[in-house]
Amino acid sequence: MDTLLPVASGAHAGALTADELRELYSLMVAVRHLDTSAIAWQRQGIIPGYAPELGQEAAQVGSGYAVDTTRDFVFPTYREMGVARTMGVDMVAYMSTHKATWHGGLYNPVESRLAPIQAVVAGSVLHAVGWAHGQTLDGKDGVALTYFGDGASSQGDVHEAMNFAAVMKAPVVFFIQNNGWAISVPTEHQVAGGSVAARAAGYGIPALHIDGDDVAAVVEATRRAFAHARAGNGPVVIEAMTYRRGPHSTSDDPGRYRSLDEERDGAGIDPLERLRQRLLADGIADEAFFAEALAAAKAEEEQIRTGVQALGSRPGTEMFDLVFQETTPALQAQAASWREESEHV
């Protein structure tokens, strides 16, 4: 872990216990299995699209593990399924958002402390800073955690968010998952200087540059960042270096811009296998534990898939109830006509 500027150490930033490491492994297995299964769901027509996170499980599970859901709030992009699972969000409700329809049973952001999926690149960072500043105004100690990638870091929204957060000392943690690719463009071709975390110094924000494939290092860094922000010291930037092992989305073909050899060389050691080897070396898990974790992950994926498939289509007339606060006379007439037609179908 490289500390580009001092970051306060948290009281809970110590070494993880054996139970915590085993829990982190089980979470990573569950996320890995659900993630790879979701790609199959898309191919089967269960969901229309999905953004995989293969290779980024340690970054997501480790950072999500540090969140205090009684007071903090997380602002994701479209690729933080692992964070949602770690935070205990209802995964049927979460995965149903990928059906691109409103089902009336999506997860409650206020209760789960996870904001809705953000498809606008870098859009979540502005929302996070606004919420964090609200905590300051209300005299509360919640911290906002916002995610974005190395590609999104080039958006002007990130500059605005970091500048405002630094000036106002907003309690927000900017978590960058640098997975090496902004869709088809490698990081070195679109991030000047090669490091997103290094930019934080220009705003006077402390930053941590970490190994995003080491789940223990991610937990420690995120806990330290939360402690720093919660103490009134302002924002922190974390850049977790990882690698996107699959496509950007289910509509992407990574073979058009990188070879399999390049992917193997860039990916390095699988973060899940890395933690597995550590558990074995430390004598805190055995093959029976790993088999049990995988079996639980498979059973969970089956339950989630069944739940998502059970969600039927919603009537189009719901748009009049959920979208418009006050409908115009013309829309009221249209809604009445649609309801009348539906009653006779």
Side-chain angles (χ1 to χ4, degrees):
M1 179 189 300
D2 296 326
T3 305
L4 304 184
L5 287 173
V7 177
S9 295
H12 302 290
L16 292 164
T17 66
D19 287 341
E20 287 176 322
L21 287 169
R22 283 191 291 265
E23 182 181 12
L24 287 165
Y25 182 86
S26 295
L27 285 167
M28 288 175 64
V29 171
V31 169
R32 168 69 61 87
H33 192 69
L34 179 56
D35 180 65
T36 54
S37 296
I39 298 175
W41 297 359
Q42 190 275 332
R43 305 301 191 235
Q44 297 163 7
I46 298 174
I47 55 177
Y50 180 71
E53 60 185 65
L54 183 65
Q56 297 178 222
E57 296 88 356
Q60 295 204 7
V61 170
S63 55
Y65 197 74
V67 175
D68 182 346
T69 55
T70 66
R71 53 182 171 174
D72 301 327
F73 215 101
V74 175
F75 295 82
T77 70
Y78 44 77
R79 202 188 301 277
E80 270 69 62
M81 182 273 286
V83 178
R85 174 61 182 83
T86 304
M87 291 175 61
V89 176
D90 181 327
M91 294 311 291
V92 172
Y94 177 88
M95 293 303 296
S96 69
T97 62
H98 293 84
K99 289 179 71 68
T101 55
W102 179 267
H103 295 286
L106 303 184
Y107 67 91
N108 185 321
V110 176
E111 293 178 356
S112 67
R113 313 301 286 178
L114 180 74
I117 290 175
Q118 175 59 263
V120 177
V121 176
S124 58
V125 295
L126 293 171
H127 299 164
V129 171
W131 184 89
H133 185 52
Q135 290 290 288
T136 301
L137 296 176
D138 291 341
K140 297 180 179 179
D141 64 351
V143 175
L145 174 61
T146 181
Y147 292 87
F148 57 100
D150 47 298
S153 71
S154 297
Q155 294 284 353
D157 288 357
V158 173
H159 160 72
E160 295 176 16
M162 288 188 176
N163 187 64
F164 184 93
V167 170
M168 304 306 294
K169 285 196 172 182
V172 56
V173 175
F174 298 98
F175 195 97
I176 300 116
Q177 292 178 87
N178 189 334
N179 64 19
W181 295 90
I183 304 183
S184 60
V185 180
T187 302
E188 59 267 23
H189 290 171
Q190 68 90 34
V191 175
S195 170
V196 181
R199 297 176 181 173
Y203 304 97
I205 301 177
L208 297 170
H209 188 265
I210 67 173
D211 182 348
D213 290 338
D214 182 343
V215 69
V218 176
V219 174
E220 178 189 355
T222 311
R223 284 177 171 174
R224 287 183 61 192
F226 267 81
H228 183 95
R230 207 182 306 281
N233 298 313
V236 177
V237 168
I238 298 176
E239 183 176 18
M241 305 304 294
T242 180
Y243 194 86
R244 195 193 77 214
R245 293 170 178 260
H248 172 76
S249 70
T250 47
S251 61
D252 174 42
D253 176 11
R256 298 179 63 183
Y257 51 83
R258 72 184 183 200
S259 68
L260 287 176
D261 286 338
E262 289 174 329
E263 183 176 319
R264 294 189 189 98
D265 292 342
I269 302 174
D270 184 332
L272 193 58
E273 178 61 23
R274 185 170 174 173
L275 179 57
R276 181 179 183 277
Q277 292 301 326
R278 175 177 176 176
L279 295 179
L280 286 171
D282 292 347
I284 57 179
D286 54 20
E287 293 300 335
F289 167 78
F290 299 131
E292 183 180 348
L294 180 58
K298 290 181 177 180
E300 179 180 298
E301 181 273 330
E302 176 69 19
Q303 177 266 327
I304 296 170
R305 179 177 59 81
T306 300
V308 171
Q309 286 184 295
L311 294 169
S313 60
R314 303 300 302 177
T317 53
E318 278 191 339
M319 64 180 287
F320 297 102
D321 302 321
L322 303 173
V323 176
F324 303 97
Q325 181 176 357
E326 295 182 7
T327 56
T328 64
L331 287 173
Q332 290 175 4
Q334 184 178 355
S337 175
W338 282 13
R339 290 191 176 98
E340 184 178 351
E341 290 178 8
S342 64
E343 291 173 359
H344 292 84
V345 173

